[in-house]
Amino acid sequence: MDKNERKNTPKLLLHVCCAPCSSHVLELLENEFNITVFFYNPNITYEYEYKKRLEELYRFISEAPFTSKVQILDGGYEPNLFFDIARGMEDEPERGGRCYECYKLRMRATAKLAKSQGYNIFTTSLSISPHKNATWINDIGFDLSKEFEIDYLYSDFKKKNGYARSIELSREFNLYRQDYCGCIFSKKEAEKRRDKNLENNYKI
């Protein structure tokens, strides 16, 4: 793509939660848009985890051949914003109402920034995960598109082997992968799963 073609390409603000989830999405969209990835994840409870994921995103963007034109915006470490919206839903199971509000928190910030900074369209990489509800994500995107009067890119990036491809890319670039979304609630559930698996391994 030459400079004139790139200049006329729509500007996309892509919310991402980590390098692995962004990998296939960027590979898929890089030739269609001028992309800025927006790392905005108040759900990440621990600052060391936040920094680790952000560092891996920067490393991936610097190394992958299809990300040479991609820019990164760091939304900042603000876990209190997540705890505010999660209040009263602390005991909800994963993939329940707390997760819905978390999607909305992150996508609202993305839509608002996209509108204020003159992007043509916004979306999120969240639907690459088999643990995320793509219908909820797209419904939220539709509502935000109307509210902020900006286009939303509908997607279910896990389809057509999208999730499998993200795993391949993670291995290729030796990306840090995690078994929980980032919040303290999902971390506790992941720890319970690991403990249960360990217990089952010791059963005769």
Side-chain angles (χ1 to χ4, degrees):
M1 183 180 294
D2 63 30
K3 289 184 178 180
N4 288 332
E5 288 177 316
R6 176 63 68 174
K7 184 177 180 180
N8 294 323
T9 303
K11 292 172 59 181
L12 168 69
L13 186 63
L14 170 66
H15 166 263
V16 302
C17 57
C18 61
C21 287
S22 72
S23 60
H24 172 63
V25 178
L26 289 171
E27 181 183 54
L28 189 67
L29 300 179
E30 194 270 339
N31 287 324
E32 303 297 324
F33 301 97
N34 280 326
I35 301 175
T36 298
V37 297
F38 183 38
F39 186 80
Y40 181 72
N41 301 288
N43 59 304
I44 300 178
T45 300
Y46 298 111
E47 189 171 12
Y48 70 82
E49 180 71 19
Y50 184 94
K51 289 180 177 178
K52 178 66 174 177
R53 295 191 193 194
L54 182 58
E55 287 169 1
E56 280 293 89
L57 180 62
Y58 272 106
R59 182 173 69 81
F60 175 68
I61 297 297
S62 70
E63 293 179 3
F66 51 82
T67 59
S68 60
K69 303 295 183 182
V70 173
Q71 304 296 313
I72 300 174
L73 287 177
D74 174 13
Y77 175 66
E78 299 179 312
N80 286 339
L81 295 178
F82 169 75
F83 286 115
D84 285 345
I85 64 99
R87 190 172 293 115
M89 294 184 286
E90 293 86 351
D91 295 326
E92 287 251 352
E94 285 294 284
R95 308 186 199 184
R98 185 182 62 241
C99 292
Y100 179 88
E101 293 302 321
C102 181
Y103 302 162
K104 190 161 66 172
L105 171 67
R106 292 184 277 175
M107 291 178 67
R108 169 176 284 279
T110 306
K112 184 177 180 179
L113 181 63
K115 179 65 176 182
S116 67
Q117 297 298 316
Y119 288 88
N120 304 106
I121 191 167
F122 77 100
T123 195
T124 177
S125 66
L126 288 172
S127 69
I128 193 75
S129 169
H131 304 296
K132 301 291 190 294
N133 187 320
T135 299
W136 281 1
I137 290 166
N138 286 319
D139 286 347
I140 292 168
F142 174 74
D143 290 341
L144 293 171
S145 176
K146 291 193 297 182
E147 179 180 349
F148 290 98
E149 299 182 335
I150 184 172
D151 288 339
Y152 168 73
L153 179 65
Y154 289 81
S155 62
D156 190 350
F157 290 119
K158 72 176 72 65
K159 290 189 173 181
K160 299 181 180 179
N161 293 317
Y163 177 64
R165 178 58 179 157
S166 73
I167 293 175
E168 290 177 1
L169 288 166
S170 295
R171 290 172 179 161
E172 180 180 343
F173 291 94
N174 193 30
L175 297 176
Y176 166 64
R177 294 182 64 85
Q178 54 286 321
D179 61 357
Y180 72 105
C181 78
C183 77
I184 188 63
F185 310 109
S186 63
K187 189 175 191 297
K188 288 179 178 178
E189 288 208 9
E191 289 169 349
K192 287 180 182 177
R193 289 195 301 270
R194 288 196 295 270
D195 291 343
K196 186 176 181 179
N197 289 337
L198 183 62
E199 179 183 332
N200 288 337
N201 287 338
Y202 280 104
K203 288 180 178 178
I204 298 175

